[in-house]
Amino acid sequence: MPVAPKPGVLPLRPLAFGEMFSAVFDTVRRYSGALYLPLAAVTGILAVPMVVASVVLAGRVRDGFEALPQAPDEPTGDQLWALFWPLMVIFGLFLLLGIVQYVVAGPLATVVLRAATLGRRMTAGQAWKEARQRIGASTASMALLYGPLLVLNVLLVGLVVLLVAVTGSPAVFLLTFLLSAAVGLGGIYAAVRLAPQIPVLVLEDSTARAAIGRAWQLNRGNWWRSFGLTMLVTLVGRLAVGVISYPLTMILSVAVPLTSMDLQSDSSRVEFGAGTMTFLLVGYSLVMLLGMLATGPLVPLVNGVLYIDRRIRKERLDIALAEAAGIHFAEAYGYAQQPAPSAPSAPSAPSAPAAPAAPYGQQPAGPSAPVPAQPAAPAEPAAPTAGPAAGPGAEEGPAER
């Protein structure tokens, strides 16, 4: 088998599972600046309100924690609400930041993967300039996919609360719970089936609605492969982030007792000082943001690799990619249809030394290097049978074809 050209991180042929997996992390390794610098800038800007909220709400969290009763007593609903509502605000800001980061990471990872596939250099400025033009369309595409699922789940939760409050029947609760689980599984199926959605949107310059239909057809029959690759890359990324963030969390846990946290002598209750809760909230928020930033481009890169593989298998994108990478005559690599060997016209007189046909793959050097068909001094009559020194003889050409 001929060897496929590989100008970048992907061989230009139908991809195996391991090749797609390694291509994701090869792109992260080779193009880390183009991937992470724009994403880090966006994350840093959006992290400011989260850090401010952590500082402002740290006192409320501390008061709610200290208002909890001792171990034998059960906390009331008001006490739990006073503790959890500021935490819910901080967590909501974290989720919002994650959504914005994913919307930005989709086009950014796609344009970087295109350069990585072709083996071209790309700076952070070039990647951001190309990606920011499709962020609006990416937002609309994500809204069309996840918006109906979110609204439907909210309606189902409201229906559960209403039916339980009115009827109080466990069977109604179980039925509504099963219906909500079915909707959730359907949402997971749709999200995996539409994995090439953002690459279609960016690389084919389509609208949000057209990208959904195109991705649905393009990824037909590839659901389990898409799901397995996404889960494996996500798991490896989480493990790597855990290895990095574990020392940071250990530093936070060691540094907390060195602040103004006091252990009461008459009970096992811990009371936090003025700056301890602020230190904890801000520190753990930054650690979580760091982990989210590190894994942000992984799933969009998986979607881009899946898109390239599906188009190679269905639409022979490998030939177009080879031409775009400057690799001409893709037939020479065996992945396009080669011309039939019987195509050259049969010479009427094999003994004629005029123009012997060159074998497949041996093309003439060009107009600047003519083939010396005849010797310079025609003194010897047997010279025409010798032929050119560099090419096959006139009688050997058709036999080799």
Side-chain angles (χ1 to χ4, degrees):
M1 291 294 293
V3 178
K6 188 179 179 181
V9 297
L10 290 171
L12 301 184
R13 56 171 169 74
L15 303 173
F17 188 88
E19 291 171 337
M20 293 191 292
F21 175 82
S22 62
V24 172
F25 293 99
D26 285 346
T27 305
V28 172
R29 178 175 56 85
R30 298 184 188 183
Y31 295 83
S32 56
L35 275 174
Y36 284 108
L37 288 180
L39 201 59
V42 173
T43 304
I45 294 173
L46 297 177
V48 172
M50 184 175 176
V51 173
V52 171
S54 300
V55 174
V56 172
L57 297 176
R60 300 294 183 92
V61 175
R62 185 191 61 179
D63 295 340
F65 181 78
E66 292 179 352
L68 293 177
Q70 296 292 331
D73 300 329
E74 293 292 333
T76 63
D78 293 337
Q79 291 173 336
L80 292 176
W81 175 252
L83 175 62
F84 284 111
W85 78 260
L87 295 177
M88 291 173 60
V89 171
I90 298 173
F91 186 71
L93 290 174
F94 180 79
L95 288 181
L96 181 61
L97 177 59
I99 293 173
V100 174
Q101 187 188 76
Y102 184 79
V103 170
V104 174
L108 183 66
T110 302
V111 298
V112 171
L113 180 63
R114 177 175 57 189
T117 303
L118 299 177
R120 297 175 178 173
R121 295 174 58 88
M122 175 165 281
T123 63
Q126 293 172 342
W128 175 248
K129 183 179 179 180
E130 294 185 24
R132 68 182 180 183
Q133 302 174 2
R134 306 300 295 168
I135 290 178
S138 176
T139 305
S141 181
M142 291 292 101
L144 287 176
L145 173 60
Y146 295 105
L149 295 176
L150 180 61
V151 172
L152 188 57
N153 279 304
V154 170
L155 291 178
L156 285 176
V157 170
L159 182 62
V160 168
V161 174
L162 179 62
L163 290 178
V164 170
V166 172
T167 62
S169 174
V172 174
F173 174 78
L174 179 61
L175 179 62
T176 313
F177 174 78
L178 293 177
L179 182 61
S180 178
V183 172
L185 292 177
I188 294 175
Y189 175 82
V192 175
R193 177 72 180 269
L194 294 174
Q197 177 182 356
I198 299 300
V200 168
L201 189 74
V202 175
L203 300 180
E204 300 183 12
D205 199 19
S206 62
T207 62
R209 189 182 299 273
I212 291 178
R214 165 80 166 148
W216 186 268
Q217 295 297 328
L218 193 63
N219 209 27
R220 181 190 298 272
N222 198 45
W223 192 90
W224 284 109
R225 201 174 191 220
S226 303
F227 178 78
L229 183 62
T230 303
M231 291 297 103
L232 182 59
V233 170
T234 303
L235 177 61
V236 173
R238 294 293 180 185
L239 290 176
V241 169
V243 172
I244 297 174
S245 61
Y246 181 75
L248 299 178
T249 56
M250 291 298 296
I251 293 173
L252 287 175
S253 62
V254 171
V256 165
L258 300 180
T259 60
S260 55
M261 186 180 69
D262 297 325
L263 181 63
Q264 300 296 317
S265 58
D266 55 347
S267 64
S268 59
R269 186 182 184 87
V270 177
E271 293 185 358
F272 293 97
T276 304
M277 187 60 69
T278 303
F279 178 79
L280 284 175
L281 290 179
V282 173
Y284 280 105
S285 298
L286 293 178
V287 170
M288 292 173 65
L289 288 177
L290 179 62
M292 187 172 62
L293 174 64
T295 57
L298 295 183
V299 173
L301 285 174
V302 169
N303 297 339
V305 171
L306 289 170
Y307 167 82
I308 293 174
D309 176 66
R310 297 308 293 170
R311 286 204 60 188
I312 287 176
R313 293 175 183 272
K314 291 189 173 185
E315 302 173 2
R316 303 310 305 270
L317 183 65
D318 48 349
I319 301 177
L321 289 175
E323 296 291 337
I327 305 173
H328 302 291
F329 304 109
E331 294 86 356
Y333 293 90
Y335 293 98
Q337 185 176 2
Q338 298 180 0
S342 60
S345 59
S348 57
S351 60
Y360 180 77
Q362 298 181 6
Q363 301 296 335
S368 61
V371 179
Q374 295 181 359
E380 299 178 4
T385 61
E395 290 132 4
E396 296 178 16
E400 289 181 3
R401 295 292 295 178

